[in-house]
Coordinates of all heavy atoms in Angstrom, one line a residue:
A65 N -1.5 11.5 -5.2 CA -0.7 10.4 -5.7 C -1.6 9.6 -6.5 O -1.2 8.9 -7.4 CB 0.0 9.6 -4.6
R66 N -2.9 9.5 -6.2 CA -3.8 8.6 -6.9 C -4.0 9.1 -8.4 O -4.1 10.2 -8.7 CB -5.2 8.7 -6.2 CG -6.2 7.7 -6.7 CD -7.4 7.7 -5.9 NE -7.5 8.9 -5.1 CZ -8.7 9.3 -4.8 NH1 -9.8 8.7 -5.0 NH2 -8.7 10.4 -4.0
G67 N -3.9 8.1 -9.3 CA -4.2 8.4 -10.7 C -2.9 8.8 -11.4 O -3.0 9.1 -12.7
R68 N -1.8 9.0 -10.8 CA -0.6 9.3 -11.6 C 0.0 8.1 -12.3 O -0.2 7.0 -11.8 CB 0.5 9.8 -10.6 CG 0.1 11.2 -10.0 CD 1.3 11.6 -9.2 NE 0.8 12.8 -8.4 CZ 1.6 13.2 -7.4 NH1 2.6 12.6 -7.0 NH2 1.1 14.3 -6.7
Q69 N 0.6 8.4 -13.4 CA 1.2 7.2 -14.2 C 2.6 6.8 -13.5 O 3.3 7.6 -13.2 CB 1.5 7.7 -15.6 CG 2.1 6.6 -16.5 CD 1.2 5.4 -16.7 OE1 0.0 5.6 -16.8 NE2 1.8 4.2 -16.7
I70 N 2.7 5.5 -13.3 CA 3.9 5.0 -12.7 C 4.6 4.2 -13.9 O 4.1 3.1 -14.3 CB 3.6 4.1 -11.5 CG1 2.9 4.8 -10.5 CG2 4.9 3.4 -11.0 CD1 2.3 4.0 -9.4
D71 N 5.7 4.7 -14.4 CA 6.5 4.0 -15.5 C 6.7 2.5 -15.2 O 7.3 2.2 -14.1 CB 7.8 4.7 -15.8 CG 7.6 6.0 -16.3 OD1 6.5 6.4 -16.8 OD2 8.5 6.9 -16.1
G72 N 6.2 1.7 -16.0 CA 6.5 0.2 -15.9 C 5.6 -0.5 -15.0 O 5.6 -1.7 -14.8
V73 N 4.8 0.2 -14.2 CA 3.9 -0.3 -13.2 C 2.4 -0.2 -13.6 O 1.6 -1.0 -13.7 CB 4.1 0.2 -11.8 CG1 3.1 -0.4 -10.9 CG2 5.5 -0.2 -11.4
G74 N 2.0 1.1 -13.9 CA 0.7 1.5 -14.1 C 0.0 0.8 -15.3 O -1.2 0.7 -15.3
D75 N 0.9 0.4 -16.3 CA 0.3 -0.3 -17.4 C 0.0 -1.7 -17.2 O -0.8 -2.3 -17.8 CB 1.2 -0.2 -18.6 CG 1.5 1.2 -19.0 OD1 0.6 2.1 -18.9 OD2 2.6 1.4 -19.6
M76 N 0.6 -2.3 -16.1 CA 0.4 -3.7 -15.9 C -0.6 -4.0 -14.8 O -1.2 -5.1 -14.8 CB 1.8 -4.3 -15.3 CG 2.9 -4.2 -16.3 SD 4.4 -5.0 -15.7 CE 4.6 -4.2 -14.1
L77 N -0.9 -3.1 -13.9 CA -1.8 -3.3 -12.8 C -2.9 -2.3 -12.7 O -2.6 -1.1 -13.1 CB -1.0 -3.4 -11.5 CG 0.0 -4.5 -11.3 CD1 0.9 -4.3 -10.1 CD2 -0.7 -5.8 -11.2
P78 N -4.0 -2.6 -12.2 CA -5.1 -1.6 -12.0 C -4.6 -0.5 -11.0 O -3.8 -0.8 -10.1 CB -6.3 -2.3 -11.2 CG -5.9 -3.8 -11.5 CD -4.5 -3.9 -11.7
R79 N -4.9 0.7 -11.2 CA -4.4 1.8 -10.4 C -4.8 1.7 -9.0 O -4.1 2.2 -8.1 CB -4.9 3.1 -11.1 CG -4.3 3.5 -12.3 CD -4.4 4.9 -12.6 NE -4.1 5.2 -14.0 CZ -2.9 5.3 -14.5 NH1 -1.9 5.0 -13.7 NH2 -2.7 5.6 -15.8
R80 N -5.9 1.1 -8.7 CA -6.3 1.0 -7.3 C -5.4 0.2 -6.4 O -5.5 0.2 -5.2 CB -7.8 0.4 -7.3 CG -7.8 -1.0 -7.7 CD -9.3 -1.5 -7.7 NE -9.3 -2.9 -8.0 CZ -10.2 -3.7 -7.5 NH1 -11.1 -3.3 -6.6 NH2 -10.1 -5.0 -7.8
I81 N -4.5 -0.6 -7.0 CA -3.5 -1.3 -6.1 C -2.1 -0.9 -6.5 O -1.2 -1.7 -6.2 CB -3.7 -2.9 -6.3 CG1 -3.5 -3.3 -7.7 CG2 -5.0 -3.2 -5.7 CD1 -3.4 -4.8 -7.8
A82 N -1.9 0.3 -7.1 CA -0.5 0.8 -7.3 C -0.6 2.3 -7.1 O -1.6 3.0 -7.4 CB -0.1 0.5 -8.7
A83 N 0.4 2.8 -6.4 CA 0.5 4.3 -6.0 C 1.9 4.7 -6.0 O 2.8 4.0 -5.8 CB -0.3 4.5 -4.7
L84 N 2.1 6.1 -5.9 CA 3.4 6.7 -5.7 C 3.3 7.2 -4.2 O 2.4 7.7 -3.8 CB 3.6 7.9 -6.7 CG 3.8 7.6 -8.1 CD1 3.9 9.0 -8.9 CD2 5.1 6.8 -8.2
V85 N 4.5 6.9 -3.6 CA 4.6 7.4 -2.2 C 5.9 8.1 -1.9 O 6.9 7.9 -2.7 CB 4.4 6.2 -1.1 CG1 2.9 5.7 -1.3 CG2 5.4 5.1 -1.4
S86 N 6.0 8.8 -0.9 CA 7.3 9.5 -0.5 C 7.9 8.9 0.8 O 7.3 8.9 1.8 CB 7.1 10.9 -0.2 OG 6.5 11.7 -1.3
C87 N 9.0 8.1 0.6 CA 9.7 7.4 1.7 C 11.1 7.7 1.6 O 11.7 8.2 0.7 CB 9.5 5.9 1.6 SG 7.8 5.4 1.7
G88 N 11.8 7.4 2.8 CA 13.2 7.6 2.9 C 13.6 9.0 3.5 O 12.8 9.8 3.7
D89 N 14.9 9.0 3.9 CA 15.4 10.3 4.5 C 15.2 11.5 3.6 O 14.9 12.6 4.1 CB 16.9 10.1 4.9 CG 17.1 9.0 5.9 OD1 16.2 8.8 6.7 OD2 18.1 8.4 5.8
A90 N 15.4 11.3 2.4 CA 15.3 12.5 1.4 C 13.8 12.6 0.8 O 13.6 13.4 -0.1 CB 16.3 12.4 0.3
G91 N 12.9 11.8 1.3 CA 11.6 11.8 0.7 C 11.6 11.3 -0.7 O 10.8 11.8 -1.6
G92 N 12.3 10.3 -1.0 CA 12.5 9.7 -2.3 C 11.1 9.1 -2.9 O 10.3 8.8 -2.1
R93 N 11.0 9.0 -4.1 CA 9.8 8.6 -4.8 C 9.9 7.0 -4.9 O 10.9 6.5 -5.3 CB 9.7 9.2 -6.2 CG 9.6 10.7 -6.1 CD 8.5 11.2 -5.3 NE 7.1 11.1 -5.9 CZ 6.1 11.3 -5.2 NH1 6.0 11.6 -4.0 NH2 4.9 11.1 -5.9
H94 N 8.8 6.4 -4.5 CA 8.7 4.9 -4.6 C 7.3 4.6 -5.2 O 6.3 5.3 -5.0 CB 8.8 4.4 -3.2 CG 10.1 4.5 -2.6 ND1 10.6 5.7 -2.1 CD2 11.1 3.6 -2.3 CE1 11.8 5.5 -1.6 NE2 12.1 4.3 -1.7
A95 N 7.3 3.5 -5.9 CA 6.0 2.9 -6.3 C 5.7 1.9 -5.3 O 6.4 1.0 -4.8 CB 6.2 2.1 -7.7
L96 N 4.4 1.8 -4.9 CA 3.9 0.9 -3.9 C 2.9 0.1 -4.6 O 1.9 0.6 -5.2 CB 3.2 1.6 -2.7 CG 2.7 0.6 -1.6 CD1 3.8 -0.1 -1.0 CD2 1.9 1.4 -0.6
V97 N 3.0 -1.2 -4.6 CA 2.1 -2.1 -5.4 C 1.6 -3.2 -4.4 O 2.4 -3.8 -3.7 CB 2.8 -2.7 -6.6 CG1 1.8 -3.7 -7.3 CG2 3.3 -1.7 -7.5
A98 N 0.3 -3.5 -4.5 CA -0.2 -4.7 -3.7 C -0.1 -5.9 -4.6 O -0.5 -5.9 -5.7 CB -1.7 -4.4 -3.4
S99 N 0.6 -6.9 -4.0 CA 0.7 -8.2 -4.7 C 0.1 -9.3 -3.8 O 0.7 -9.7 -2.9 CB 2.2 -8.5 -5.0 OG 2.3 -9.7 -5.7
S100 N -1.2 -9.6 -4.1 CA -1.9 -10.4 -3.2 C -2.0 -9.8 -1.8 O -2.5 -8.6 -1.7 CB -1.3 -11.9 -3.1 OG -2.2 -12.7 -2.4
A101 N -1.6 -10.5 -0.8 CA -1.7 -9.9 0.6 C -0.4 -9.1 1.0 O -0.3 -8.7 2.2 CB -2.0 -11.0 1.6
T102 N 0.6 -8.9 0.1 CA 1.8 -8.3 0.4 C 1.9 -6.9 -0.3 O 1.5 -6.8 -1.5 CB 3.0 -9.2 -0.1 OG1 2.9 -10.4 0.6 CG2 4.3 -8.5 0.2
L103 N 2.5 -5.9 0.4 CA 2.8 -4.7 -0.3 C 4.2 -4.6 -0.6 O 5.1 -5.0 0.1 CB 2.5 -3.5 0.7 CG 1.1 -3.3 1.2 CD1 0.9 -2.1 2.1 CD2 0.1 -3.2 0.0
V104 N 4.5 -4.2 -1.9 CA 5.8 -4.2 -2.5 C 6.2 -2.7 -2.7 O 5.5 -2.0 -3.4 CB 5.9 -5.0 -3.8 CG1 7.3 -4.9 -4.3 CG2 5.5 -6.4 -3.6
L105 N 7.3 -2.3 -2.1 CA 7.7 -0.9 -2.2 C 9.0 -0.9 -3.0 O 10.0 -1.5 -2.7 CB 8.1 -0.3 -0.8 CG 8.4 1.2 -0.7 CD1 7.2 2.0 -1.1 CD2 8.9 1.5 0.7
R106 N 8.9 -0.2 -4.2 CA 10.0 -0.2 -5.2 C 10.6 1.2 -5.3 O 9.9 2.1 -5.6 CB 9.5 -0.7 -6.5 CG 10.7 -0.7 -7.5 CD 10.2 -1.4 -8.8 NE 11.4 -1.6 -9.7 CZ 11.4 -1.1 -10.9 NH1 10.3 -0.5 -11.4 NH2 12.5 -1.2 -11.6
D107 N 11.9 1.3 -5.0 CA 12.6 2.6 -5.1 C 12.8 2.8 -6.7 O 13.3 2.0 -7.4 CB 14.0 2.5 -4.5 CG 14.7 3.8 -4.5 OD1 14.8 4.4 -5.6 OD2 15.3 4.2 -3.5
L108 N 12.2 4.0 -7.1 CA 12.2 4.2 -8.6 C 13.6 4.7 -9.0 O 13.8 4.6 -10.3 CB 11.1 5.3 -8.8 CG 9.7 5.0 -8.6 CD1 8.8 6.1 -8.8 CD2 9.3 3.7 -9.4
N109 N 14.5 5.1 -8.2 CA 15.8 5.3 -8.6 C 16.7 4.1 -8.8 O 17.4 3.9 -9.8 CB 16.5 6.4 -7.7 CG 15.8 7.7 -7.8 OD1 15.3 8.2 -8.9 ND2 15.6 8.4 -6.6
S110 N 16.7 3.3 -7.7 CA 17.7 2.2 -7.6 C 17.0 0.9 -8.1 O 17.8 -0.1 -8.5 CB 18.2 1.9 -6.2 OG 17.1 1.6 -5.3
G111 N 15.7 0.9 -8.1 CA 15.0 -0.4 -8.5 C 14.9 -1.5 -7.4 O 14.4 -2.5 -7.6
T112 N 15.5 -1.2 -6.2 CA 15.4 -2.1 -5.1 C 13.9 -2.2 -4.6 O 13.2 -1.3 -4.7 CB 16.3 -1.8 -4.0 OG1 16.0 -0.5 -3.5 CG2 17.7 -1.7 -4.4
Q113 N 13.6 -3.4 -4.0 CA 12.3 -3.6 -3.6 C 12.3 -4.1 -2.2 O 13.3 -4.8 -1.7 CB 11.6 -4.7 -4.4 CG 11.3 -4.3 -5.8 CD 10.5 -5.5 -6.5 OE1 10.3 -6.5 -6.0 NE2 10.2 -5.2 -7.8
R114 N 11.3 -3.8 -1.4 CA 11.1 -4.3 0.0 C 9.7 -4.7 0.1 O 8.7 -4.2 -0.6 CB 11.3 -3.2 1.0 CG 12.8 -2.7 1.0 CD 13.3 -1.9 2.1 NE 13.2 -2.8 3.3 CZ 13.2 -2.2 4.5 NH1 13.3 -0.9 4.7 NH2 13.1 -3.0 5.5
H115 N 9.3 -5.8 0.9 CA 8.1 -6.4 1.0 C 7.5 -6.2 2.4 O 8.3 -6.4 3.4 CB 8.2 -7.9 0.6 CG 8.7 -8.1 -0.9 ND1 10.0 -8.2 -1.2 CD2 8.0 -8.3 -1.9 CE1 10.1 -8.3 -2.4 NE2 8.8 -8.4 -3.0
F116 N 6.3 -5.9 2.5 CA 5.6 -5.7 3.8 C 4.4 -6.6 3.9 O 3.6 -6.5 2.9 CB 5.3 -4.2 3.9 CG 6.5 -3.3 3.9 CD1 7.0 -2.9 2.6 CD2 7.2 -3.0 5.0 CE1 8.1 -2.1 2.6 CE2 8.3 -2.3 5.0 CZ 8.8 -1.8 3.8
T117 N 4.3 -7.3 4.9 CA 3.2 -8.2 5.1 C 2.3 -7.8 6.3 O 2.7 -6.9 7.0 CB 3.7 -9.6 5.4 OG1 4.5 -9.7 6.5 CG2 4.5 -10.1 4.2
G118 N 1.2 -8.4 6.4 CA 0.2 -8.2 7.6 C -1.2 -8.5 7.2 O -2.0 -8.8 8.1
H119 N -1.5 -8.4 5.9 CA -2.9 -8.8 5.5 C -3.0 -10.3 5.5 O -2.1 -11.0 5.1 CB -3.2 -8.2 4.2 CG -3.5 -6.7 4.2 ND1 -4.7 -6.2 4.8 CD2 -2.7 -5.6 3.9 CE1 -4.8 -4.9 4.6 NE2 -3.6 -4.5 4.2
S120 N -4.2 -10.8 5.7 CA -4.4 -12.3 5.6 C -5.2 -12.6 4.3 O -5.3 -13.7 4.0 CB -5.3 -12.7 6.9 OG -6.6 -11.9 6.9
R121 N -5.6 -11.6 3.6 CA -6.2 -11.8 2.3 C -5.7 -10.8 1.4 O -5.1 -9.8 1.7 CB -7.8 -11.5 2.4 CG -8.4 -12.5 3.4 CD -9.9 -12.7 3.2 NE -10.5 -12.4 2.0 CZ -10.5 -13.2 0.9 NH1 -9.9 -14.4 0.9 NH2 -11.1 -12.8 -0.2
P122 N -6.0 -11.0 0.0 CA -5.5 -10.0 -0.9 C -5.9 -8.6 -0.7 O -7.1 -8.4 -0.4 CB -6.0 -10.5 -2.3 CG -6.3 -12.1 -2.0 CD -6.6 -12.1 -0.6
V123 N -5.0 -7.6 -0.9 CA -5.3 -6.2 -0.8 C -6.1 -5.9 -2.1 O -5.7 -6.2 -3.2 CB -4.0 -5.3 -0.7 CG1 -4.4 -3.9 -0.8 CG2 -3.3 -5.7 0.5
E124 N -7.3 -5.2 -1.8 CA -8.2 -4.9 -2.9 C -8.1 -3.4 -3.3 O -8.6 -3.0 -4.4 CB -9.6 -5.2 -2.6 CG -9.8 -6.8 -2.4 CD -11.2 -7.1 -2.1 OE1 -12.1 -6.2 -2.0 OE2 -11.4 -8.3 -1.7
L125 N -7.6 -2.5 -2.4 CA -7.5 -1.1 -2.6 C -6.4 -0.5 -1.9 O -6.1 -0.9 -0.7 CB -8.9 -0.6 -2.2 CG -9.1 1.0 -2.4 CD1 -9.1 1.3 -3.8 CD2 -10.4 1.4 -1.7
L126 N -5.7 0.5 -2.5 CA -4.8 1.3 -1.8 C -5.2 2.8 -2.0 O -5.6 3.2 -3.0 CB -3.3 1.2 -2.5 CG -2.5 -0.1 -2.3 CD1 -1.3 0.0 -3.1 CD2 -2.2 -0.2 -0.8
E127 N -5.1 3.5 -0.9 CA -5.4 4.9 -0.9 C -4.2 5.6 -0.3 O -3.7 5.1 0.7 CB -6.7 5.3 -0.3 CG -8.0 4.9 -0.9 CD -8.1 5.7 -2.2 OE1 -7.7 6.8 -2.3 OE2 -8.8 5.2 -3.1
V128 N -3.7 6.7 -0.9 CA -2.5 7.5 -0.4 C -2.9 8.9 -0.2 O -3.7 9.5 -0.9 CB -1.4 7.3 -1.5 CG1 -0.1 8.1 -1.0 CG2 -1.1 5.9 -1.8
S129 N -2.4 9.4 0.9 CA -2.7 10.9 1.2 C -2.0 11.7 0.2 O -1.2 11.3 -0.5 CB -2.2 11.2 2.6 OG -0.7 11.1 2.6
E130 N -2.4 13.0 0.1 CA -1.9 13.9 -0.9 C -0.4 14.1 -0.7 O 0.3 14.3 -1.7 CB -2.6 15.3 -0.8 CG -4.0 15.3 -1.3 CD -4.1 15.2 -2.8 OE1 -3.2 15.7 -3.5 OE2 -5.0 14.4 -3.2
S131 N 0.1 14.0 0.5 CA 1.5 14.2 0.7 C 2.3 12.9 0.3 O 3.5 13.0 0.2 CB 1.8 14.4 2.3 OG 1.4 13.3 3.0
G132 N 1.6 11.8 0.1 CA 2.3 10.5 -0.2 C 2.9 9.8 1.0 O 3.7 8.9 0.7
I133 N 2.6 10.3 2.1 CA 3.2 9.7 3.4 C 2.4 8.7 4.0 O 2.8 7.7 4.5 CB 3.7 10.8 4.3 CG1 4.8 11.7 3.6 CG2 4.2 10.3 5.7 CD1 5.1 12.9 4.4
W134 N 1.1 8.9 4.0 CA 0.1 8.0 4.7 C -0.7 7.1 3.7 O -1.0 7.6 2.6 CB -1.0 8.8 5.5 CG -0.4 9.5 6.7 CD1 0.0 10.7 6.8 CD2 -0.1 8.8 7.9 NE1 0.5 10.9 8.1 CE2 0.5 9.8 8.8 CE3 -0.3 7.5 8.4 CZ2 0.8 9.5 10.1 CZ3 0.1 7.2 9.7 CH2 0.6 8.2 10.5
I135 N -0.8 5.8 4.0 CA -1.3 4.9 3.1 C -2.4 4.0 3.8 O -2.1 3.6 5.0 CB -0.2 3.9 2.6 CG1 0.9 4.7 1.9 CG2 -0.8 2.8 1.6 CD1 2.3 4.0 2.1
A136 N -3.4 3.8 3.1 CA -4.5 2.8 3.6 C -4.5 1.7 2.7 O -4.7 1.8 1.5 CB -5.9 3.5 3.8
S137 N -4.4 0.5 3.2 CA -4.5 -0.8 2.3 C -5.7 -1.5 2.9 O -5.8 -1.7 4.1 CB -3.3 -1.6 2.4 OG -2.9 -1.9 3.6
I138 N -6.5 -2.0 2.0 CA -7.9 -2.6 2.4 C -8.0 -3.9 1.8 O -7.8 -4.2 0.6 CB -9.0 -1.7 2.0 CG1 -9.0 -0.4 2.6 CG2 -10.4 -2.3 2.3 CD1 -8.4 0.7 1.7
Q139 N -8.4 -4.9 2.7 CA -8.6 -6.3 2.2 C -10.1 -6.5 2.4 O -10.7 -5.9 3.4 CB -7.9 -7.4 3.0 CG -8.3 -7.5 4.4 CD -7.4 -8.6 5.2 OE1 -6.2 -8.5 5.1 NE2 -8.1 -9.5 5.9
G140 N -10.8 -7.2 1.6 CA -12.2 -7.4 1.6 C -12.6 -8.4 2.6 O -11.9 -9.2 3.2
A141 N -13.9 -8.5 2.9 CA -14.6 -9.4 3.8 C -14.5 -10.8 3.2 O -14.6 -11.0 2.0 CB -16.0 -9.0 4.1
H142 N -14.6 -11.8 4.1 CA -14.6 -13.2 3.6 C -15.0 -14.2 4.6 O -14.4 -14.1 5.8 CB -13.2 -13.6 3.0 CG -13.1 -15.0 2.5 ND1 -13.7 -15.4 1.3 CD2 -12.5 -16.1 3.0 CE1 -13.5 -16.6 1.1 NE2 -12.8 -17.1 2.1
D143 N -15.9 -15.0 4.4 CA -16.4 -16.0 5.4 C -16.6 -15.5 6.8 O -16.0 -15.9 7.8 CB -15.4 -17.2 5.5 CG -15.4 -18.1 4.3 OD1 -16.4 -18.1 3.5 OD2 -14.3 -18.7 4.0
H144 N -17.4 -14.5 6.9 CA -17.8 -13.8 8.2 C -16.7 -13.1 8.8 O -16.8 -12.7 10.0 CB -18.4 -14.9 9.1 CG -19.5 -15.7 8.5 ND1 -20.8 -15.1 8.3 CD2 -19.7 -16.9 8.2 CE1 -21.6 -16.0 7.7 NE2 -20.9 -17.2 7.6
V145 N -15.6 -12.8 8.2 CA -14.5 -12.0 8.6 C -14.7 -10.6 8.0 O -14.8 -10.6 6.8 CB -13.1 -12.6 8.3 CG1 -12.0 -11.7 8.7 CG2 -13.0 -14.0 8.9
P146 N -14.8 -9.6 8.7 CA -15.0 -8.3 8.2 C -13.8 -7.8 7.3 O -12.7 -8.2 7.5 CB -15.3 -7.4 9.4 CG -14.6 -8.0 10.5 CD -14.7 -9.5 10.2
P147 N -14.1 -6.7 6.5 CA -12.9 -6.1 5.8 C -11.9 -5.5 6.9 O -12.3 -5.2 8.0 CB -13.6 -4.9 5.1 CG -15.0 -5.3 5.0 CD -15.3 -6.0 6.2
V148 N -10.7 -5.4 6.5 CA -9.7 -5.0 7.4 C -8.9 -3.8 6.6 O -8.6 -3.9 5.4 CB -8.6 -6.0 7.7 CG1 -7.4 -5.4 8.5 CG2 -9.3 -7.1 8.5
V149 N -8.7 -2.7 7.3 CA -8.0 -1.5 6.8 C -6.7 -1.4 7.7 O -6.7 -1.5 8.9 CB -8.7 -0.2 7.0 CG1 -7.9 1.0 6.5 CG2 -10.0 -0.3 6.2
R150 N -5.6 -1.4 6.9 CA -4.2 -1.1 7.6 C -3.8 0.2 7.3 O -3.8 0.5 6.1 CB -3.2 -2.2 7.3 CG -3.5 -3.6 7.9 CD -2.6 -4.6 7.4 NE -1.3 -4.5 8.2 CZ -1.2 -5.1 9.4 NH1 -2.0 -5.8 9.9 NH2 0.0 -5.0 10.0
L151 N -3.4 1.0 8.2 CA -2.9 2.3 7.9 C -1.4 2.3 8.1 O -0.8 1.8 9.1 CB -3.5 3.4 8.9 CG -5.0 3.6 8.9 CD1 -5.4 4.6 9.9 CD2 -5.4 4.0 7.5
W152 N -0.7 2.8 7.1 CA 0.8 2.7 7.0 C 1.3 4.1 7.0 O 0.7 5.0 6.5 CB 1.3 2.0 5.8 CG 0.7 0.6 5.6 CD1 -0.5 0.2 5.1 CD2 1.3 -0.7 5.9 NE1 -0.7 -1.1 5.1 CE2 0.4 -1.7 5.6 CE3 2.6 -1.0 6.5 CZ2 0.8 -3.0 5.7 CZ3 2.8 -2.3 6.6 CH2 2.0 -3.3 6.2
C153 N 2.5 4.3 7.5 CA 3.2 5.6 7.4 C 4.6 5.4 6.8 O 5.3 4.4 7.2 CB 3.4 6.2 8.8 SG 4.3 7.8 8.8
C154 N 5.0 6.2 5.8 CA 6.4 6.1 5.3 C 7.3 6.8 6.3 O 7.0 7.8 6.9 CB 6.4 6.9 4.0 SG 5.5 6.1 2.7
D155 N 8.4 6.2 6.5 CA 9.5 6.8 7.3 C 10.9 6.6 6.6 O 11.0 5.8 5.7 CB 9.4 6.2 8.8 CG 9.7 4.8 8.9 OD1 10.6 4.2 8.1 OD2 9.1 4.1 9.7
G156 N 11.9 7.1 7.3 CA 13.1 7.1 6.6 C 14.0 5.9 7.2 O 15.2 5.8 6.6
F157 N 13.5 5.0 7.8 CA 14.2 3.9 8.4 C 13.9 2.6 7.7 O 14.8 1.9 7.2 CB 14.1 3.8 9.9 CG 14.5 5.0 10.6 CD1 13.6 5.9 11.1 CD2 15.9 5.3 10.7 CE1 14.0 7.1 11.8 CE2 16.2 6.5 11.4 CZ 15.3 7.4 11.9
C158 N 12.6 2.2 7.7 CA 12.2 0.8 7.1 C 11.4 1.0 5.9 O 11.0 0.0 5.4 CB 11.6 0.0 8.2 SG 10.0 0.8 8.7
G159 N 11.2 2.1 5.4 CA 10.2 2.3 4.2 C 8.9 2.6 4.6 O 8.5 3.8 4.6
I160 N 8.1 1.7 5.0 CA 6.7 1.9 5.6 C 6.6 1.1 6.8 O 7.2 0.0 6.9 CB 5.6 1.6 4.6 CG1 5.6 0.2 4.1 CG2 5.7 2.6 3.3 CD1 4.4 -0.1 3.2
R161 N 5.7 1.6 7.7 CA 5.4 0.8 8.9 C 4.0 0.9 9.2 O 3.3 1.9 8.9 CB 6.2 1.2 10.1 CG 5.9 2.7 10.5 CD 6.7 3.2 11.8 NE 6.5 4.5 12.0 CZ 5.4 5.2 12.6 NH1 4.5 4.4 12.9 NH2 5.4 6.4 12.7
C162 N 3.4 -0.2 9.7 CA 2.0 -0.2 10.0 C 1.7 0.6 11.2 O 2.3 0.3 12.3 CB 1.5 -1.7 10.2 SG -0.3 -1.7 10.4
A163 N 0.9 1.6 11.2 CA 0.5 2.4 12.3 C -0.7 2.0 13.0 O -1.0 2.2 14.1 CB 0.4 3.9 11.9
A164 N -1.6 1.3 12.3 CA -2.9 0.9 12.9 C -3.5 -0.2 12.0 O -3.3 -0.2 10.8 CB -3.9 2.0 13.0
T165 N -4.3 -1.1 12.7 CA -5.1 -2.1 11.9 C -6.5 -1.9 12.4 O -6.8 -1.9 13.6 CB -4.6 -3.5 12.2 OG1 -3.2 -3.5 11.8 CG2 -5.4 -4.6 11.5
L166 N -7.5 -1.8 11.5 CA -8.9 -1.6 11.9 C -9.7 -2.7 11.2 O -9.7 -2.8 9.9 CB -9.3 -0.2 11.4 CG -8.4 0.9 11.8 CD1 -8.7 2.2 11.0 CD2 -8.5 1.2 13.3
Q167 N -10.6 -3.4 12.0 CA -11.6 -4.2 11.3 C -12.9 -3.4 11.2 O -13.2 -2.5 12.1 CB -11.9 -5.4 12.3 CG -10.7 -6.3 12.3 CD -11.1 -7.7 12.9 OE1 -12.3 -7.8 13.4 NE2 -10.3 -8.6 12.8
C168 N -13.6 -3.6 10.1 CA -14.7 -2.8 9.7 C -16.0 -3.6 9.5 O -16.4 -3.9 8.4 CB -14.4 -1.9 8.5 SG -13.0 -1.0 8.5
P169 N -16.5 -4.1 10.6 CA -17.7 -5.1 10.5 C -18.9 -4.4 9.9 O -19.7 -5.1 9.3 CB -18.0 -5.5 11.9 CG -17.3 -4.6 12.8 CD -16.1 -4.0 12.0
A170 N -19.1 -3.1 10.0 CA -20.2 -2.5 9.4 C -20.1 -2.5 7.9 O -21.2 -2.3 7.2 CB -20.3 -1.0 9.9
L171 N -19.1 -2.7 7.3 CA -19.0 -2.8 5.9 C -19.1 -4.2 5.3 O -19.0 -4.4 4.1 CB -17.5 -2.3 5.4 CG -17.2 -0.9 5.8 CD1 -15.8 -0.5 5.4 CD2 -18.2 0.1 5.2
S172 N -19.3 -5.2 6.2 CA -19.4 -6.6 5.7 C -20.7 -6.7 5.0 O -21.7 -6.2 5.2 CB -19.4 -7.5 6.9 OG -18.1 -7.5 7.5

């Protein structure tokens, strides 16, 4: 999913905070964009959006698995607080859900 053009999204934002993912019962295509500390999941067919929170600082990087189902969102270190990685999984019920939160003090 990394590096693919997202119509109407890829031109406005750096690719590192925008990605294509597969969510929903039929594996529909969605654009996932980091907007500060919030992830915005946009259905590319209907245009509807859902917002997902959990980060305490702006998301600096999104990485998506080849299948488009697993997502890692990373916020940087700040004031002696280590970087945080949140692992998300796309599902057919709520769009994406946080599967794990990892603090990475070795990366500070």
Side-chain angles (χ1 to χ4, degrees):
R66 189 174 18 156
R68 293 183 189 165
Q69 180 65 34
I70 302 171
D71 293 334
V73 175
D75 296 334
M76 298 183 305
L77 297 169
R79 292 199 193 284
R80 66 185 185 146
I81 58 168
L84 290 175
V85 296
S86 299
C87 294
D89 294 328
R93 300 303 285 170
H94 293 72
L96 182 66
V97 179
S99 177
S100 188
T102 301
L103 297 182
V104 180
L105 186 66
R106 181 170 187 236
D107 185 312
L108 295 177
N109 293 322
S110 69
T112 58
Q113 295 183 357
R114 298 198 58 198
H115 298 87
F116 299 88
T117 58
H119 283 285
S120 59
R121 298 203 21 83
V123 173
E124 297 179 6
L125 179 67
L126 286 175
E127 287 292 331
V128 179
S129 67
E130 286 294 321
S131 66
I133 295 173
W134 289 98
I135 303 148
S137 57
I138 298 99
Q139 74 183 45
H142 181 70
D143 288 338
H144 306 291
V145 177
V148 173
V149 176
R150 292 180 76 86
L151 299 177
W152 305 81
C153 179
C154 290
D155 64 35
F157 301 104
C158 64
I160 62 174
R161 63 178 169 80
C162 185
T165 302
L166 309 166
Q167 289 194 355
C168 305
L171 299 176
S172 295

